[in-house]
Amino acid sequence: MRYAHRRHRRALEERGWLLERERESAARTAVDDERARIARELHDIVSHNVSLMIVQASAAREVLAAHPEEAALALSAVERAGRDTMTELRHLLGLLAPSADGDDDSGDHGDLAPQPSLRRLSPLIDRIAFAGLPVDVRISGEPRPLPAGIDVTAYRIVQEALTNALKHGTGGKAEVTIRYAQRSVRIEVLNTGPSVLTGNPAGNRATGSGDGAGRGLLGLRQRVAVYGGDLDARRRLGGGYRVRARIPVDSG
């Protein structure tokens, strides 16, 4: 009887040890996943806003002498982009290292930017248009709230595609289409540009290669895959570039 009791106690101890190891492994995985998410967010924030700052600073330099008013507007856009970047970075750093009382270290919650969302595309579209790329937005289907991770990912797809079009395009315009289907949300971003038949190398710079293999889009492709979706980015035969994504959404 005593021997059976010892075996039972030893089995419980071993089970407790295994459960503790599983909890530690789960905690490490959660930390790694969160670090990867924050790294992707940092890339998206910095890449987008710094690209806007470069475009606007270049425009200001070109018109500084002849059109000082336009230069002042461009420099104001650079300032806003810089402030937006700092605000979002403070928010992310607050997630990484919150203060002891759980508040953000800055002590100013009013400065924290809201979570990126398809419902908040207008400021992004305005910034891109002001930087020189007109954007048409079309919404198909009945807009509805999306799970937070999917919503942020969809927003980042539009942001990355428009930022690339602004950086590497040669004028023209862009079109953004958001389709709310019953079991998915679909995002398509098109921009005009020289035809692939002209051999113009500018089209290949949009993502670092002609098949959408840039770091930003590769990261987004991985994020979309997490939700069981797919993303395709490629040059259009008639000119320009196309980014298309489908992300499944639980209709229940």
Side-chain angles (χ1 to χ4, degrees), residues 19-112:
L19 287 174
E20 183 63 25
R21 290 290 300 274
E22 290 179 1
R23 281 195 293 267
E24 291 176 356
S25 177
R28 286 195 297 270
T29 299
V31 169
D32 290 343
D33 289 346
E34 183 65 5
R35 285 175 175 170
R37 184 190 71 81
I38 291 174
R40 291 192 295 264
E41 287 294 296
L42 284 171
H43 170 271
D44 293 340
I45 291 167
V46 173
S47 175
H48 168 69
N49 285 302
V50 171
S51 295
L52 282 180
M53 293 166 73
I54 292 171
V55 170
Q56 293 292 352
S58 176
R61 177 175 52 80
E62 291 180 1
V63 301
L64 184 59
H67 303 284
E69 299 85 0
E70 295 183 14
L73 288 174
L75 291 174
S76 295
V78 172
E79 181 181 6
R80 284 196 302 272
R83 292 184 183 277
D84 289 346
T85 302
M86 292 303 299
T87 296
E88 294 196 61
L89 289 178
R90 279 200 304 271
H91 177 58
L92 282 178
L93 292 175
L95 296 178
L96 286 171
S99 60
D101 60 3
D103 291 335
D104 184 80
D105 289 338
S106 68
D108 187 357
H109 295 278
D111 285 343
L112 294 182

Side-chain angles (χ1 to χ4, degrees), residues 7-239:
R7 287 187 59 188
H8 179 67
R9 185 176 61 185
R10 190 159 51 244
L12 289 176
E13 290 173 350
E14 290 178 354
R15 183 180 180 185
W17 179 80
L18 289 173
L19 287 174
E20 183 63 25
R21 290 290 300 274
E22 290 179 1
R23 281 195 293 267
E24 291 176 356
S25 177
R28 286 195 297 270
T29 299
V31 169
D32 290 343
D33 289 346
E34 183 65 5
R35 285 175 175 170
R37 184 190 71 81
I38 291 174
R40 291 192 295 264
E41 287 294 296
L42 284 171
H43 170 271
D44 293 340
I45 291 167
V46 173
S47 175
H48 168 69
N49 285 302
V50 171
S51 295
L52 282 180
M53 293 166 73
I54 292 171
V55 170
Q56 293 292 352
S58 176
R61 177 175 52 80
E62 291 180 1
V63 301
L64 184 59
H67 303 284
E69 299 85 0
E70 295 183 14
L73 288 174
L75 291 174
S76 295
V78 172
E79 181 181 6
R80 284 196 302 272
R83 292 184 183 277
D84 289 346
T85 302
M86 292 303 299
T87 296
E88 294 196 61
L89 289 178
R90 279 200 304 271
H91 177 58
L92 282 178
L93 292 175
L95 296 178
L96 286 171
S99 60
D101 60 3
D103 291 335
D104 184 80
D105 289 338
S106 68
D108 187 357
H109 295 278
D111 285 343
L112 294 182
Q115 185 82 344
S117 168
L118 289 180
R119 291 171 293 175
R120 301 188 181 97
L121 274 180
S122 293
L124 170 65
I125 300 302
D126 291 344
R127 289 197 300 270
I128 294 293
F130 185 81
L133 180 67
V135 182
D136 291 332
V137 179
R138 302 172 183 172
I139 306 297
S140 174
E142 187 66 28
R144 63 183 186 275
L146 300 172
I150 292 177
D151 204 7
V152 172
T153 298
Y155 176 96
R156 294 303 187 196
I157 291 169
V158 176
Q159 182 184 59
E160 180 73 14
L162 291 179
T163 301
N164 283 341
L166 178 65
K167 285 194 297 184
H168 306 294
T170 55
K173 65 177 184 177
E175 297 178 0
V176 175
T177 303
I178 310 294
R179 294 185 177 91
Y180 291 89
Q182 183 177 4
R183 297 183 179 276
S184 67
V185 60
R186 296 174 182 267
I187 305 100
E188 183 177 72
V189 182
L190 306 174
N191 72 281
T192 58
S195 170
V196 297
L197 301 178
T198 66
N200 191 324
N204 279 336
R205 295 198 303 269
T207 57
S209 71
D211 60 356
R215 180 175 179 180
L217 288 175
L218 279 176
L220 286 172
R221 186 175 285 120
Q222 294 168 358
R223 293 172 72 164
V224 169
V226 167
Y227 298 104
D230 51 80
L231 182 147
D232 178 73
R234 65 184 62 211
R235 296 176 67 191
R236 301 165 64 194
L237 185 62

